[in-house]
Amino acid sequence: PSNTGSVHQTTTKNAGTFFDGGMKRYYGIGDGGQGEGQDPMFVVANGGTIQNLFIDAPAGDGIHCEGSCVIRNVWWNDVGEDAATFRSSSSSATYLVDGGGAKSGSDKVFQHNGAGTVTIRNFQVHGSGKLYRACGNCSTSYQRHVVMDGVTARSTKVLAGINTNWGDTARFSRITVYGSTVICEKYQGVPKGSE
Ligand code: DGU
Ligand code: CA
Ligand code: CA
Ligand code: CA
């Protein structure tokens, strides 16, 4: 899809519980690199939805979901430090990424630092490192789950990285990969401060 205009956004936008981007292209936070601690482009509240937009470079730390959320029809043209971070402390949190796609995530696309289940459905990823990573060194060693359904990957190294010692799980259906993509990489998580 193509955008309907550009928004140069230099401070984090509070998307609250509903934000529709009108298929505009938003960019302007951070330096486009892999430095940790950049500001997010958007913060979505618990129970919130963000939909219908493009995110372009520099894209900072992408979208933060503070709790359960829906990210629908969002297209990252050039992922920043990562594309979105899922941050709830509730084990019943659900985060849904439905439609859309991500390009050029030199490292990670979706970063799961909180608890709960991330579902990535009907999504495309191109030229990226990992589509999903359950945090391997966050100070709270939550159990994290990911469900991928209807994902197409091109030139992408790994779909999911999970920490089997913390009981993480990953489920896959309707997956198409072009190139040598590893479907699931299993790690041992080590909480920060205990390495
Ligand atoms: O050093 O703790 O990369 O949220 C690594 C960090 C890391 C997180 C993650 C993120 O796991 O900062 O972007
Ligand atoms: Ca990171
Ligand atoms: Ca990040
Ligand atoms: Ca990164």
Side-chain angles (χ1 to χ4, degrees), residues 34 36 80-82 107-108:
Q34 290 303 306
E36 300 284 347
E81 199 283 303
D82 49 44
D107 175 24
K108 294 172 275 185

Side-chain angles (χ1 to χ4, degrees), residues 32 34 76-83 101-110 123-132 151-159 176-181:
Q34 290 303 306
W76 285 264
N77 283 332
D78 183 353
V79 173
E81 199 283 303
D82 49 44
K103 281 194 291 197
S104 308
S106 47
D107 175 24
K108 294 172 275 185
V109 177
F110 295 121
F123 194 83
Q124 308 178 29
V125 58
H126 190 168
S128 294
K130 292 182 184 68
L131 176 56
Y132 166 94
V151 167
T152 301
R154 293 182 174 78
S155 308
T156 291
K157 289 184 187 131
V158 175
L159 292 186
T176 306
V177 301
Y178 298 92
S180 52
T181 300

Side-chain angles (χ1 to χ4, degrees), residues 73-163:
N73 195 34
V74 174
W75 299 86
W76 285 264
N77 283 332
D78 183 353
V79 173
E81 199 283 303
D82 49 44
T85 310
F86 305 109
R87 293 161 48 89
S88 177
S89 57
S90 165
S91 61
S92 57
T94 58
Y95 319 89
L96 173 64
V97 179
D98 191 13
K103 281 194 291 197
S104 308
S106 47
D107 175 24
K108 294 172 275 185
V109 177
F110 295 121
Q111 174 77 33
H112 193 179
N113 291 353
T117 301
V118 175
T119 298
I120 303 166
R121 181 205 285 166
N122 301 333
F123 194 83
Q124 308 178 29
V125 58
H126 190 168
S128 294
K130 292 182 184 68
L131 176 56
Y132 166 94
R133 177 69 161 104
C135 187
N137 65 355
C138 286
S139 42
T140 312
S141 50
Y142 296 120
Q143 204 174 62
R144 302 181 175 93
H145 308 286
V146 63
V147 176
M148 293 192 192
D149 177 51
V151 167
T152 301
R154 293 182 174 78
S155 308
T156 291
K157 289 184 187 131
V158 175
L159 292 186
I162 63 171
N163 310 302

